[in-house]
Amino acid sequence: MTTELIFGIVGGLGLFLYGMQLLSDGLQKITGDKIQKIMELLTNKPLMGVATGTLLTSIIQSSSATGVITVGFVNAGLLNLKQAISVIAGASIGTTITAQIVSFRLEKYALPAIGIGFIINFLAKKRSYKYFGQILLGFGILFLGLYTMSNAVSPLRSYAPFINLLTGISHNFFLGIVVATIFTAIIQSSSATIAIVIAMSLQGMIDLDTAIPLMLGSNIGTCITVLIASIGSSITGKRVALSQLVFKTLGVLLFSLFISKFTYLASLTSINIPRQIANAHTMFNLIDTMILLPFLNVFVKLIVKILPGEEIILKKGPIYLSKDMINTPSIALSQATKELVRMGEMVENMLNDVIMSFIQNDLNLLKNVYLKEGVVNTLEKEITKYLVLISQQSLSPTQSKRLTDLLNIVNDIERVGDHAENLSELAEEKINEKLPFSEKALNELKSMFSKVQFSLNKTILALKNRDIELAREVALKEDEIDNIEKGLRNNHINRLNQGICYPESGVIFLDIISNLERVGDHANNISLMVIDELSQS
């Protein structure tokens, strides 16, 4: 019995989670996978944040994933703490949709859904049909997992230790919360915990009184994923993770004061227990969010007080580009230069994060790189549009030359951001695949990193301070970086030929030095334009 029970629960849970992932992927693809655009719908209005969090979680079917995405957006300066908390609150509502779907007992349609979904996904030529087939397949596997778990737990109805545990939970409200919190923290999915609770209710093993503390505990346990994601993030990212934990915990404590009334209210929503459990899950998160919204500003202050520290905010859009200055080209060009410097400092930070990630094998550092790349792309478009508006004014020959140089510099800085993203992907592959790098190879990369960092840093400073000597210093380094790249490439190819290096590591090594050499080229391009402009003034 024990073996069948364990395999049944673990296998059913695996099917459920896999089905949920397929369903999530299909929904994301069919909606265009435009998570960032959904997030950009946010305004400073908390209700809009809640709506966005609910919609996003409904699409990706995971409040934990929404929380991780939110922490990432906060780290990149795309959301402030207040906006992020409203998204997290909305995510708690969106994640209840899975429980609602599961509670309708559609397991008899599991196998037909799997069969039809597979056929559509396998045979369809049109992408939208394939995605629909994937969604149907996900639904089928999800309900097959639920059916498997339900059958697996059936023998527990006569297993004395388990009956004693359920009896203890029914008599000890907080024991149920603790058990569900720990279990959900381990599997990192409140939806899966609720699915197991519903599976047990289908076998008549638990009633609503026992299910509700388990449901409440799952809401606390799901916070662990976001807490893990916040490790190594900014102070605001850590506050977002803390806010979810505090929000859920306070909600559970508040509901515990009125638990008998809440249980009675949930019992009125349906005649069968699975539906009552799902409705209680939705009602808890909906009411909890409604209570939070009027006190959101106070809650933000509480979180800042619990976790003090200086908040560094990185604004996504431009901060120096004022259209009021367009009619004064000399000032407008200076403002555009300031924005370019800010953009340059951002890609410099991206490159630094990649280097540290590669050396320290730290994936958390790469999250900021990918998000900052989106910020850099936005700035590139905004600065270019601003410069085009300036070009429509009456400009002197000197101003026209400077405007042309700035347009080229925008492109060079944006390309550095692209190379930083390429390097991030290489670092991610190296870390995930645990690819070995010899001490000599790492030292060679550190040396080239250092040279490129120097050139990029000095060229941004030269642009910022209009310093021709710094720009000339960068220009002199160009040949040195090219020669280093050639030397390292030849040395590494020799090591590969001698069988000293691991082939997959060797490919990454060569790609890294190639990207770094291109970063050096773009830094040199900027320095040459600074030299050209200042030497003529």
Side-chain angles (χ1 to χ4, degrees), residues 345-364:
E345 290 172 344
M346 199 176 299
V347 297
E348 188 182 349
N349 289 333
M350 289 168 64
L351 194 63
N352 291 339
D353 285 341
V354 173
I355 294 166
M356 294 307 296
S357 171
F358 191 89
I359 294 170
Q360 298 175 6
N361 290 325
D362 188 350
L363 284 173
N364 282 320

Side-chain angles (χ1 to χ4, degrees), residues 481-527:
I481 290 175
D482 286 347
N483 291 332
I484 289 173
E485 193 268 343
K486 290 175 185 174
L488 294 185
R489 183 176 292 275
N490 290 333
N491 291 341
H492 205 67
I493 289 173
N494 288 333
R495 288 199 293 268
L496 285 170
N497 290 334
Q498 294 169 20
I500 298 173
C501 286
Y502 190 64
E504 290 184 27
S505 301
V507 172
I508 288 180
F509 182 95
L510 295 174
D511 283 345
I512 287 173
I513 61 174
S514 176
N515 275 278
L516 287 174
E517 190 271 334
R518 293 298 297 137
V519 171
D521 286 344
H522 290 297
N524 182 61
N525 291 344
I526 297 169
S527 68

Side-chain angles (χ1 to χ4, degrees), residues 98-110 139 142-144 146-147 150-151 195 198-204 270-276 278:
T98 307
Q100 290 290 344
I101 293 170
V102 168
S103 70
F104 279 107
R105 299 198 61 179
L106 302 175
E107 57 267 21
K108 63 182 178 181
Y109 301 111
F139 265 121
L142 183 149
F143 281 107
L144 180 62
L146 181 67
Y147 176 75
S150 178
N151 284 344
I198 289 175
M200 289 192 293
S201 74
L202 290 172
Q203 293 294 330
S270 177
I271 59 172
N272 63 75
I273 292 180
R275 293 288 306 123
Q276 292 172 359

Side-chain angles (χ1 to χ4, degrees), residues 322-339:
S322 172
K323 290 186 179 179
D324 294 336
M325 300 297 176
I326 294 292
N327 294 326
T328 312
S330 59
I331 297 176
L333 288 169
S334 295
Q335 295 302 104
T337 303
K338 285 183 180 180
E339 201 66 64

